[in-house]
Amino acid sequence: EVEADAKIEKLSEQLKEQEQALHTKKNHELALRQRISDQDVTINDKISEVQQCEAEIAELKGKISEQNVLLDESDYNMQQLDEELSNVINKEEMLRSEVEIERLRRVELEGELSNAKKEISSLSAKLRASDKAL
């Protein structure tokens, strides 16, 4: 009977450890989900900025076309608009790169989430097995 009690105590201790490990993994999963959600917000924000840049580019191209029609306007204004257009195009390209980087980070986080889910599943199976053993 003492040996059975010791075995039950050992199994109970293992069960507690497995439950704690499961709890830790679930917290990690929640943190990963939050990070993915945050990445989604960041990606959407960057996409909005890209769209704003596209609108600015269209507007600036329209202004450049108007300047070309108005031959009596100064060459200085044309250079200013070209420079502004170039700056916005550079900003758009940078933002597109940032969107891609954020998407890659999101894929990495999804991989971590998948691994965390596998670990949780494995720990849950061990926990069920320990429960049955008790």
Side-chain angles (χ1 to χ4, degrees):
E1 185 179 325
V2 171
E3 189 176 313
D5 286 345
K7 189 172 184 178
I8 289 173
E9 181 64 31
K10 183 179 179 183
L11 286 172
S12 178
E13 199 57 40
Q14 287 175 345
L15 179 61
K16 286 179 186 175
E17 290 172 7
Q18 289 172 349
E19 287 173 339
Q20 181 61 37
L22 179 62
H23 179 72
T24 300
K25 288 297 177 184
K26 284 185 177 182
N27 283 342
H28 183 63
E29 177 188 10
L30 289 173
L32 288 172
R33 286 182 184 276
Q34 182 59 49
R35 286 177 62 194
I36 287 172
S37 177
D38 293 346
Q39 288 302 121
D40 285 342
V41 169
T42 300
I43 288 168
N44 289 334
D45 288 346
K46 296 291 180 186
I47 288 171
S48 293
E49 288 184 52
V50 166
Q51 291 168 340
Q52 289 173 349
C53 286
E54 289 171 344
E56 285 182 54
I57 288 168
E59 181 182 336
L60 290 168
K61 284 183 177 181
K63 288 180 180 180
I64 289 171
S65 293
E66 290 172 13
Q67 290 298 317
N68 284 331
V69 171
L70 304 172
L71 295 176
D72 53 23
E73 285 289 329
S74 74
D75 199 39
Y76 178 77
N77 288 338
M78 192 64 115
Q79 288 175 341
Q80 290 280 12
L81 290 171
D82 278 338
E83 184 176 325
E84 191 176 342
L85 176 61
S86 178
N87 290 340
V88 174
I89 287 172
N90 289 339
K91 181 179 177 184
E92 179 202 26
E93 289 172 356
M94 181 190 70
L95 289 167
R96 285 186 185 277
S97 294
E98 289 178 11
V99 166
E100 284 308 310
I101 289 168
E102 295 301 331
R103 284 183 174 149
L104 291 174
R105 287 180 182 151
R106 186 181 193 283
V107 168
E108 289 175 7
L109 289 172
E110 286 174 339
E112 285 184 47
L113 177 60
S114 176
N115 289 340
K117 285 181 178 180
K118 289 176 187 173
E119 289 176 18
I120 287 169
S121 177
S122 175
L123 288 171
S124 293
K126 288 179 183 177
L127 186 60
R128 283 192 298 276
S130 296
D131 282 343
K132 287 181 182 178
L134 285 176

